[in-house]
Amino acid sequence: MKPPRLSPFLWLCGALHVLALLALLYRPHDWLALLLLLVLLHGLIAVAGLLPRCALLGPNLTRLPAAAIRRGEVAITIDDGPDPAVTPAVLDILQHYGVKATFFCIGERAAQYSALCQQTARAGHAVENHGQRHRKQTSLFGPAGWRREVGEGQATLQRITGHTPRFFRPIAGLRNPFLEPVLQQQGVFLASWTRRGYDTRVRDPEQVYARLVRNLAAGDILLLHDGNAARTADGQPLILSVLPRLLQELSRRQLQAVTLPQACQPEQTAAGVADA
């Protein structure tokens, strides 16, 4: 197995740690200054892990590739499902508008509602890895914890759908330097988003919709939720109020919603699929 390719930022952090150790050997009386330097460095690493769209810890798909932008594509990604009370209605809306989306599913929920997860895949949507357990402390995991969270999620979703996920999204996009080597070993890619509506917290569909369509353009990756969806004042899952309007707006702007795997195909391959 090839060793993981670390980002230049992590190589720099490693080099600074070595230099700090050497400086401590030669100037032990400066230990406090060196300690403060290392604290600041680790603080910077932590901040990088707290920013979902940051690429300092490794490759991060925050926007669709240039070829997808030229084709006028956007990607709708839907997290935290499957949810038996919401996902079927989401699938009906997508079918009505003839749109394919990417569902980042939690492994345990996919196993609990396997028929619904299979239905999602059979409808032509991409089912991708949102972790096996979706625990809030995931960003504190070491290598073994990430291997379980990513690897078990891969195995669960592959067993249920028959397709191996190509993308992984941690809970809230939070991570640490131990994740990227695991993703490389598993052959999956970190995917975040360009814009989100905060539809797990905001109860007003107008606010969520406005956030999603503000400066909406080809290449955007949009984030919505079928699992853990906030409810409107009348008790409706918020995504069900926002999604139809969003799809109508995409059509008005002549933007095509595709799955992440479709968007990341080489231009000539995608053209061939479209012609088929």
Side-chain angles (χ1 to χ4, degrees):
M1 181 182 297
K2 293 182 178 180
R5 300 182 303 277
L6 298 180
S7 70
F9 172 73
L10 291 180
W11 277 112
L12 175 62
C13 291
L16 290 176
H17 277 78
V18 172
L19 290 175
L21 178 60
L22 293 175
L24 181 62
L25 294 176
Y26 284 97
R27 299 178 63 90
H29 55 280
D30 289 334
W31 67 270
L32 182 57
L34 294 171
L35 178 61
L36 290 175
L37 174 65
L38 291 179
V39 169
L40 289 174
L41 182 59
H42 280 264
L44 181 59
I45 295 172
V47 169
L50 292 172
L51 299 175
R53 299 181 61 201
C54 180
L56 289 177
L57 302 184
N60 187 358
L61 183 67
T62 61
R63 191 168 186 82
L64 300 184
I69 295 175
R70 288 192 292 270
R71 296 192 295 263
E73 295 174 352
V74 299
I76 296 174
T77 64
I78 302 172
D79 286 14
D80 291 3
D83 186 310
V86 183
T87 307
V90 171
L91 293 175
D92 287 344
I93 293 170
L94 293 171
Q95 182 180 20
H96 176 78
Y97 287 92
V99 166
K100 304 302 180 188
T102 301
F103 288 77
F104 279 93
C105 293
I106 301 169
E108 288 185 338
R109 294 186 65 85
Q112 186 177 4
Y113 306 110
S114 58
L116 184 51
C117 192
Q118 291 168 351
Q119 178 187 350
T120 302
R122 284 198 304 269
H125 305 291
V127 175
E128 303 296 338
N129 190 346
H130 200 32
Q132 178 68 9
R133 296 172 183 83
H134 201 254
R135 292 174 176 167
K136 293 182 179 180
Q137 69 270 29
T138 300
S139 61
L140 303 177
F141 282 175
W146 282 118
R147 282 194 293 270
R148 288 191 297 271
E149 184 71 1
V150 177
E152 291 178 18
Q154 289 289 102
T156 297
L157 296 174
Q158 197 282 330
R159 183 179 68 252
I160 292 171
T161 68
H163 299 284
T164 302
R166 290 179 53 188
F167 298 94
F168 175 77
R169 176 178 287 165
I171 176 173
L174 304 177
R175 61 205 186 281
N176 61 35
F178 298 114
L179 173 59
E180 179 55 29
V182 172
L183 295 182
Q184 292 182 29
Q185 292 166 2
Q186 293 284 342
V188 294
F189 302 93
L190 180 69
S192 57
W193 53 84
T194 306
R195 58 189 67 248
R196 62 182 300 183
Y198 296 94
D199 58 331
T200 59
R201 301 201 301 266
V202 177
R203 292 165 54 89
D204 182 0
E206 292 297 331
Q207 291 184 28
V208 172
Y209 175 77
R211 287 190 175 113
L212 290 172
V213 300
R214 187 180 298 120
N215 300 320
L216 179 63
D220 279 339
I221 301 173
L222 309 179
L223 171 59
L224 288 162
H225 292 79
D226 54 351
N228 299 316
R231 261 49 178 183
T232 61
D234 60 0
Q236 183 181 39
L238 198 133
I239 186 175
L240 303 184
S241 297
V242 172
L243 186 58
R245 292 183 60 193
L246 176 62
L247 297 179
Q248 292 165 12
E249 183 64 15
L250 291 179
S251 178
R252 190 185 71 81
R253 299 192 189 195
Q254 297 183 318
L255 296 171
Q256 181 183 5
V258 298
T259 67
L260 287 182
Q262 288 173 328
C264 292
Q265 293 181 104
E267 195 159 20
Q268 62 272 21
T269 303
V273 170
D275 295 339

